[in-house]
Amino acid sequence: MADRQSLQEILDRFAHASDQDKTSVAQVMRALGDRSFAANLLIAAATVVSPLSGVPFVSTICGITIAIISAQMLVDRDHLWLPEFLMSKRIKSGWLRQAGKHISKPAGWMDQITQPRLVFLVQQPSLFLSQLICLFCGLAMPFLEILPFTSSIMGTIVCFFAFGMLARDGLFTLLGYGTTLVLPLTLLLLLR
């Protein structure tokens, strides 16, 4: 397991991945590092939770990205690979900076309250279940984009798991499990 990483630093690298008008997924991945699976997973999930989720197909693109990253984590790849059709996707850099600003305060707060605890939940074999749930959430996002808030709920689940991995804080993993248990009830209410 890698050293703990600051969420603020990760968000800063994400928000300033490019100084051009548009930022590609490839530029974000380079800024975060192709060996930092959890950071890339967190950014994809946080994007779905942010106001950017209102942009058409952002939830679909992020869901596919989450599924691909999670699958690679499950098979224990040593570096991240994304297909060219995802790497070439671009979004306005101003939107990324705005999303980073939107999440900045909660990120600073989360950095302050985290500490290594319940570490067994962010190590194998427990980690396998978290990665598997992230994979299923990512796979479901493209199909549920038309239902309001469902992608954001799944993004929140993935955020909890990814942040738990980054901070080595199993408490966030427990929050991910708890949110996962609430998801079916939420879906039932939305589908009624």
Side-chain angles (χ1 to χ4, degrees):
M1 176 66 59
D3 292 334
R4 294 177 68 211
Q5 295 185 42
S6 161
L7 185 51
Q8 285 279 186
E9 291 171 11
I10 291 167
L11 281 174
D12 190 55
R13 290 196 314 254
F14 162 73
H16 298 95
S18 171
D19 56 3
Q20 301 164 348
D21 289 342
K22 290 194 170 187
T23 303
S24 69
V25 171
Q27 289 170 310
V28 170
M29 197 171 98
R30 273 194 298 277
L32 297 176
D34 70 352
R35 292 181 184 269
S36 187
F37 288 86
N40 281 284
L41 187 65
L42 178 66
I43 289 300
T47 301
V48 175
V49 176
S50 79
L52 285 175
S53 65
V55 177
F57 302 111
V58 164
S59 295
T60 296
I61 292 166
C62 290
I64 293 168
T65 303
I66 288 167
I68 292 171
I69 293 171
S70 301
Q72 291 177 68
M73 292 172 87
L74 284 164
V75 297
D76 202 25
R77 280 184 56 99
D78 64 349
H79 68 278
L80 183 59
W81 170 87
L82 291 175
E84 185 56 38
F85 83 92
L86 281 178
M87 295 287 271
S88 63
K89 294 292 179 201
R90 301 174 77 77
I91 193 164
K92 290 181 182 175
S93 297
W95 289 356
L96 294 184
R97 289 186 195 97
Q98 201 62 16
K101 217 180 277 185
H102 177 75
I103 304 171
S104 182
K105 252 188 184 169
W109 178 76
M110 288 173 73
D111 280 338
Q112 289 177 356
I113 66 164
T114 57
Q115 60 182 327
R117 59 187 152 197
L118 304 171
V119 178
F120 70 95
L121 290 171
V122 292
Q123 296 174 339
Q124 294 297 3
S126 301
L127 192 56
F128 182 84
L129 180 58
S130 303
Q131 294 166 343
L132 194 60
I133 292 170
C134 290
L135 173 65
F136 286 125
C137 285
L139 290 173
M141 281 183 201
F143 299 103
L144 297 174
E145 185 164 355
I146 56 169
L147 291 174
F149 307 113
T150 53
S151 291
S152 293
I153 294 167
M154 291 188 183
T156 301
I157 292 168
V158 176
C159 279
F160 283 140
F161 287 129
F163 189 64
M165 292 174 212
L166 285 168
R168 299 183 55 184
D169 191 339
L171 181 61
F172 286 91
T173 302
L174 284 178
L175 288 170
Y177 289 139
T179 311
T180 301
L181 293 173
V182 172
L183 180 63
L185 297 173
T186 307
L187 287 174
L188 284 173
L189 289 173
L190 287 171
L191 292 172
R192 287 181 69 200

